[in-house]
Amino acid sequence: MNNGLIKFPGVILFASRDHQVVQTTASRIIEFLPNGTFIDKITTYDEYLESDEMARKRQVYSTSNAQEEDD
């Protein structure tokens, strides 16, 4: 399946919980956040997870979300 996705010449929008599938096939990561916003990066999945910028954005979201739940 991975090779078929990699060789496909068009655009594919997919969601997967399989790390290997996402890492080997995705070249753009779009993360939809529960507050209706999203993060859009052209990068590999591992680079996205390791990115300090993305970690800060996720931290800001989780902190603000936790505060809203406390109120």
Side-chain angles (χ1 to χ4, degrees):
M1 181 177 85
N2 289 16
N3 289 335
L5 292 173
I6 292 166
K7 292 177 183 178
F8 183 73
V11 175
I12 301 171
L13 176 64
F14 70 94
S16 176
R17 292 180 178 226
D18 186 314
H19 183 96
Q20 184 179 8
V21 169
V22 177
Q23 175 56 27
T24 58
T25 60
S27 60
R28 181 177 185 175
I29 307 296
I30 302 173
E31 179 178 355
F32 294 94
L33 303 174
N35 67 356
T37 62
F38 62 92
I39 301 169
D40 182 3
K41 282 298 249 188
I42 297 175
T43 185
T44 66
Y45 186 56
D46 284 344
E47 289 170 345
Y48 177 75
L49 293 176
E50 293 170 0
S51 167
D52 289 340
E53 175 189 1
M54 295 302 108
R56 281 192 302 277
K57 287 182 179 182
R58 284 191 295 274
Q59 181 63 35
V60 166
Y61 171 74
S62 63
T63 302
S64 66
N65 195 33
Q67 289 174 352
E68 288 174 9
E69 290 176 359
D70 289 341
D71 293 339

